[in-house]
Amino acid sequence: MSPAANFENSMLLRKFRAGILGATGTVGQRLVHLLSDHPWFELTEVAASERSCAKKYCEAVNWHLDTPIPSAAANFMVKNLEPSLDCDFVFSALDSSVAGPAEEDFARAGYPVVSNSKNHRLSPDVPLLIPEVNAAHLDAIPVQQKNRGYGSGFIVTNPNCSTAGLVLVLKPLADAFGLEKMFVVTMQAVSGAGYPGVPSLDILGNVVPFISGEEEKMEEEPQKLLGRWDGSRFIEAGLGISAHCNRVPVENGHLECVSVSLKKIATLREVREALRSSSWMKKIVHSPAATSTPEMAWPP
Ligand SMILES: NC(=O)c1ccc[n+]([C@@H]2O[C@H](COP(=O)([O-])OP(=O)(O)OC[C@H]3O[C@@H](n4cnc5c(N)ncnc54)[C@H](OP(=O)(O)O)[C@@H]3O)[C@@H](O)[C@H]2O)c1
């Protein structure tokens, strides 16, 4: 039986038990919502700061989503960051002031850690992952475990939110034509700043042309994502990248304007075809949401 079939079979037998570190924050709430009734995962633990610890989740959290708190999570007791949670792995949505050492503690205690925080993204033995783009970077995990004496635990990170959407689109272009350089201007929603986020008097009716650390992340992370793991280290993509990041008065959803210089000359038709034929685009185009929503027929 293939590994994929094996995986699906084991999924039929039982779900992976997931914990969330930073479950009370903006990203943590989104994870709690996404994990409710998930076919592969069952949320079994939530953890946050001492402020929330030992309270019921529904009492500790300042819930901001439109949907109600999932009933399965509402009565969970919030734990602290002791790495003794009853789960198979953890998602981390911790504030970056604490994420670094806390995630290491969990990995050292044998937990796979999937992190949303910036702390380990550029570490030389930690995969920065978009599964549709660079799943092969997971090969770095045994090296990380050996380097750090983690046993069965490890850390995997995901990119900054603006980088994730950008690189998904760049990847099929890189494969088809090669990339030389790229210039991106973002218009980023206030949700990306967490809660309470940007002061209302700074952002209402305004555009703030600076997000601390964001341009650096957008210029560094694609190099790793579009690069390769050579068995002992990550080799960067060597792209020329310039990023300008702006905060705009929109609640959710980031918009990006991107100019790309390709290594091989391509017609607009060829660019469209490369985007259409990418594996992740095919999934979106053939999803029920896409077929019922005309504006999802992208690229036009
Ligand atoms: N917002 C986004 O769109 C976004 C996107 C990508 C990545 N990220 C990254 O994801 C992480 C979470 O972002 P966020 O916007 O969800 O932040 P947030 O709303 O401020 O939530 C932070 C979480 O960390 C916990 N925390 C803070 N200090 C702690 C401490 N000393 N010990 C234990 N837990 C502590 C908080 O618990 P309490 O509630 O108990 O204080 C809360 O659960 C950050 O690293 C951020 O950079 C955010």
Side-chain angles (χ1 to χ4, degrees):
M1 195 180 289
S2 73
N6 246 337
F7 177 74
E8 277 178 18
N9 243 5
S10 68
M11 293 284 77
L12 289 175
L13 295 177
R14 78 169 181 89
K15 293 184 180 183
F16 284 115
R17 296 167 309 143
I20 302 176
L21 312 180
T24 48
T26 307
V27 175
Q29 292 177 33
R30 185 65 65 182
L31 286 168
V32 167
H33 168 69
L34 289 171
L35 289 179
S36 82
D37 297 323
H38 196 283
W40 296 353
F41 307 121
E42 178 192 359
L43 180 62
T44 55
E45 293 272 27
V46 290
S49 75
E50 294 300 332
R51 182 191 70 77
S52 311
C53 180
K55 292 183 186 160
K56 276 189 186 177
Y57 182 69
C58 60
E59 288 162 3
V61 72
N62 189 358
W63 188 257
H64 291 293
L65 304 189
D66 293 338
T67 51
I69 302 177
S71 53
N75 290 323
F76 279 160
M77 197 61 76
V78 180
K79 304 273 177 73
N80 62 20
L81 297 186
E82 275 299 308
S84 55
L85 302 182
D86 185 21
C87 54
D88 300 317
F89 76 104
V90 294
F91 287 111
S92 169
L94 286 169
D95 187 85
S96 57
S97 62
V98 287
E103 291 171 359
E104 287 168 19
D105 288 347
F106 272 85
R108 205 171 293 113
Y111 295 86
V113 178
V114 181
S115 173
N116 289 271
S117 300
K118 66 179 181 185
N119 306 62
H120 297 290
R121 284 182 191 152
L122 298 180
S123 302
D125 54 1
V126 174
L128 172 63
L129 200 70
I130 300 175
E132 295 84 349
V133 169
N134 64 336
H137 288 200
L138 289 172
D139 289 347
I141 288 174
V143 175
Q144 179 196 133
Q145 289 171 320
K146 191 166 165 233
N147 286 348
R148 301 173 179 221
Y150 278 172
S152 59
F154 58 84
I155 300 173
V156 172
T157 59
N158 68 13
N160 167 266
C161 41
S162 305
T163 305
L166 174 68
V167 172
L168 267 173
V169 175
L170 290 180
K171 172 67 174 166
L173 301 181
D175 289 346
F177 315 110
L179 297 179
E180 221 163 50
K181 50 191 172 186
M182 193 261 309
F183 176 76
V184 56
V185 178
T186 71
M187 284 149 271
Q188 300 183 217
V190 289
S191 61
Y195 184 85
V198 190
S200 58
L201 288 179
D202 286 350
I203 193 68
L204 286 175
N206 197 16
V207 169
V208 181
F210 176 73
I211 305 174
S212 179
E214 198 80 351
E215 289 167 356
E216 291 83 346
K217 289 178 201 162
M218 287 202 79
E219 292 180 1
E220 289 168 347
E221 293 178 14
Q223 307 283 11
K224 186 170 180 180
L225 286 157
L226 292 168
R228 64 190 171 83
W229 170 254
D230 82 347
S232 58
R233 66 192 183 103
F234 293 103
I235 312 287
E236 292 197 343
L239 262 179
I241 305 181
S242 176
H244 293 259
C245 298
N246 302 282
R247 188 73 72 194
V248 294
V250 168
E251 194 180 342
N252 284 300
H254 299 344
L255 182 71
E256 302 181 9
C257 297
V258 187
S259 304
V260 183
S261 166
L262 304 174
K263 281 189 178 153
K264 221 167 90 183
I265 292 174
T267 62
L268 188 54
R269 190 194 178 94
E270 287 168 327
V271 168
R272 281 191 183 126
E273 197 41 48
L275 291 172
R276 273 206 190 102
S277 57
S278 72
S279 54
W280 66 268
M281 181 65 75
K282 277 187 193 150
K283 275 186 211 152
I284 292 178
V285 169
H286 294 118
S287 73
T291 42
S292 62
T293 319
E295 60 269 30
M296 288 287 289
W298 186 89

